[in-house]
Amino acid sequence: MVSGSLSVLARAVAMAERAVPGARRQALTLTETAADRIRQLLDMRQKPFLRLGVKARGCNGLSYTLNYADEKGKFDELVEDKGVRVLIDPKALMHVVGTKMDFVEDRLKSEFIFINPNSKGECGCGESFMT
């Protein structure tokens, strides 16, 4: 299953590279607010990486996961943006390529949000998506 996912991923990366010759589309970009919050969280936990993944759950099939990581996995995609390092799980990469990660905070909640160009739909509460 992993090799099948990797071949799909390789085709997706090749298509992105052909669309913009000489440039590879960044897997994930961070807003300043998201980078600041990730930096705070990593400093508090004394961890070098935050790992982004997706999990099969929710009304629309997939949900984002965020975990702390001590080291980069063999097939993890490393994104270094605005001074922080985020790992993307290889199974999640094809679902999140081109996504912008932001952090919003108001009087009721604080959360990371994902502006994902691959998303074909989200549930009403915004907790899950499909690609």
Side-chain angles (χ1 to χ4, degrees), residues 85-106:
R85 298 184 299 173
V86 177
L87 300 173
I88 302 177
D89 184 282
K91 292 177 235 134
L93 191 55
M94 68 181 163
H95 300 289
V96 301
V97 166
T99 295
K100 183 193 290 187
M101 184 176 176
D102 196 6
F103 181 75
V104 294
E105 191 169 23
D106 61 31

Side-chain angles (χ1 to χ4, degrees), residues 79-124:
V79 173
E80 295 185 77
D81 192 11
K82 297 175 182 62
V84 296
R85 298 184 299 173
V86 177
L87 300 173
I88 302 177
D89 184 282
K91 292 177 235 134
L93 191 55
M94 68 181 163
H95 300 289
V96 301
V97 166
T99 295
K100 183 193 290 187
M101 184 176 176
D102 196 6
F103 181 75
V104 294
E105 191 169 23
D106 61 31
R107 292 178 8 176
L108 297 176
K109 67 183 183 299
S110 61
E111 64 184 341
F112 286 105
I113 60 168
F114 299 88
I115 299 99
N116 187 340
N118 308 303
S119 178
K120 303 285 188 245
E122 295 179 354
C123 66

Side-chain angles (χ1 to χ4, degrees), residues 7-115:
S7 65
V8 169
L9 174 62
R11 284 194 305 267
V13 168
M15 286 174 56
E17 288 173 344
R18 279 194 301 271
V20 182
R24 182 174 172 204
R25 187 175 182 189
Q26 185 158 334
L28 180 72
T29 57
L30 305 173
T31 65
E32 285 294 338
T33 310
D36 290 344
R37 183 61 179 152
I38 291 169
R39 192 174 300 105
Q40 290 171 351
L41 293 170
L42 292 175
D43 288 346
M44 280 190 328
R45 296 287 181 131
Q46 298 181 358
K47 298 288 183 180
F49 304 105
L50 189 68
R51 177 174 281 119
L52 171 64
V54 295
K55 190 175 213 173
R57 69 174 175 199
C59 316
N60 268 329
L62 295 172
S63 183
Y64 298 103
T65 63
L66 291 170
N67 294 293
Y68 298 104
D70 289 315
E71 59 188 40
K72 180 184 179 297
K74 184 175 181 178
F75 296 108
D76 286 344
E77 178 81 11
L78 173 62
V79 173
E80 295 185 77
D81 192 11
K82 297 175 182 62
V84 296
R85 298 184 299 173
V86 177
L87 300 173
I88 302 177
D89 184 282
K91 292 177 235 134
L93 191 55
M94 68 181 163
H95 300 289
V96 301
V97 166
T99 295
K100 183 193 290 187
M101 184 176 176
D102 196 6
F103 181 75
V104 294
E105 191 169 23
D106 61 31
R107 292 178 8 176
L108 297 176
K109 67 183 183 299
S110 61
E111 64 184 341
F112 286 105
I113 60 168
F114 299 88
I115 299 99

